[in-house]
Amino acid sequence: MSALTLIETAKALVADDKGLLAMDESNPTCNKRFAALGIPQTHEARRAYRELIVTTPNLGECISGLILYDETIREAKKDGTPFLKIIVDAGIIPGIKVDTGAKDMAGHPGEKITEGLDGLRERLKEYAQMGARFAKWRAVITIGPGIPSRGCIEANAQALARYAALCQEAGLVPIIEPEVLMEGEHTMARCCEVTEEVLRTVFDEIYEQRVMLEGLILKPNMVLPGLACPQQEVVDVVADATVKCLLHAVPAAVPGIAFLSGGQSGELASARLDAMNVRFRKRLPWALAFSFARGIQQPAMEIWRGQETRVHLAQEALLYRAKCNRMARRGEYPAAMKGNSTASASRCDASSNLVSTN
Ligand code: 13P
């Protein structure tokens, strides 16, 4: 696979002020979110919900890439049209989550290690043949008393780098997602310290594993105080801390940084991304984009609740949040979107989504 193809795909994922929509929840995570809203936890309900997403009219105007899950990439619309065809016809690049989940790490109470390297080369080959052009792997770092440990950070960073090398070998752009979780009482300063250490370690390993920086996308958390921290910070302070942290740790050759939403409400995630672009866009080496799951999907799922009659309304809510984030990439979110009546309908109930178990 030529390096040029990887570079072009990575650039395309952050081009034109678009971003990624993650719809790669594993079945247990998808079922959990359905259960919270009284939606049946069946294969058909998951298929119908994912059909709602991929058939949202004009989604390709705001979304460059869709991250799928193994069940979803093989799925089809009720009329038999494969999801992959619908996605490509909409001008959207299909991608696939390839880790097999964050598991308890032996000898490291309270910490997780992401699994999925065994057999990965073969799985990547199959996904590439099916039409996927990028992949995703999520590592999870928890902040708490005495954690994260170096052992956990290093093991996860090495797994991310080995995954990334295998992706590039298969012609897939790796989305590298080391997520420092929001859960906890820690301050924003502590989140900044941990995020910087994690990112520096990840990029050290990426260098050791000979991964091409121009052919990857970083998907980090924003730098935020823990959810239970008494001192929460205003949007501009979060924007400044996040960009400063990234400037310390992310090489300029990386084409794009696409944030995860991590349990923030859709509106806050957009406002924070917007503030970063308002304040820094012209001075940064990489594009600051989005790769949200809950931050885009949650209002749509709440409207849909498994009812076929609500599909159109849910699609409007999904497209609305996708548009908000495109505006946030331009630093035009508040002026263009605040006061729009759909905003209240698309409010994300953060309290119902605090635990990310993707
Ligand atoms: P959230 O935006 O809901 O954090 O999900 C992003 C993601 O892809 C997690 O792996």
Side-chain angles (χ1 to χ4, degrees), residues 22 24 136 138 177 219 260-263 291-295 358:
D24 60 336
K136 188 197 95 171
R138 172 175 176 256
E177 182 180 11
K219 175 164 173 166
L260 58 94
S261 58
S291 177
F292 298 157
R294 288 163 291 176
N358 197 46

Side-chain angles (χ1 to χ4, degrees), residues 297-310:
Q297 285 187 44
Q298 191 64 26
M301 194 187 285
E302 287 175 11
I303 290 169
W304 176 62
R305 287 179 192 257
Q307 309 287 319
E308 204 168 334
T309 51
R310 298 199 189 156

Side-chain angles (χ1 to χ4, degrees), residues 108-158:
H108 292 72
E111 298 194 282
K112 303 270 185 197
I113 176 72
T114 300
E115 295 185 348
L117 287 171
D118 288 352
L120 183 58
R121 175 177 270 137
E122 291 70 32
R123 288 194 290 129
L124 291 173
K125 195 170 162 198
E126 187 197 0
Y127 291 136
Q129 278 165 356
M130 290 170 86
R133 289 172 54 200
F134 70 97
K136 188 197 95 171
W137 179 291
R138 172 175 176 256
V140 177
I141 305 292
T142 307
I143 300 180
I147 58 172
S149 64
R150 268 316 284 170
C152 174
I153 293 173
E154 282 175 13
N156 275 293
Q158 206 206 29

Side-chain angles (χ1 to χ4, degrees), residues 263-342:
Q264 302 173 72
S265 71
E267 283 149 353
L268 253 187
S270 301
R272 288 164 170 164
L273 177 63
D274 177 75
M276 287 182 227
N277 279 307
V278 166
R279 295 159 84 80
F280 302 103
R281 179 177 158 113
K282 293 199 177 78
R283 296 189 266 150
L284 296 175
W286 2 258
L288 284 185
F290 56 92
S291 177
F292 298 157
R294 288 163 291 176
I296 294 179
Q297 285 187 44
Q298 191 64 26
M301 194 187 285
E302 287 175 11
I303 290 169
W304 176 62
R305 287 179 192 257
Q307 309 287 319
E308 204 168 334
T309 51
R310 298 199 189 156
V311 164
H312 290 299
L313 269 181
Q315 287 179 327
E316 272 179 28
L318 190 84
L319 186 65
Y320 175 75
R321 284 254 57 88
K323 276 187 185 160
C324 286
N325 290 306
R326 190 168 188 222
M327 300 307 281
R329 280 210 53 191
R330 296 176 169 156
E332 294 172 2
Y333 171 60
M337 296 300 189
K338 269 193 182 155
N340 181 319
S341 59
T342 323

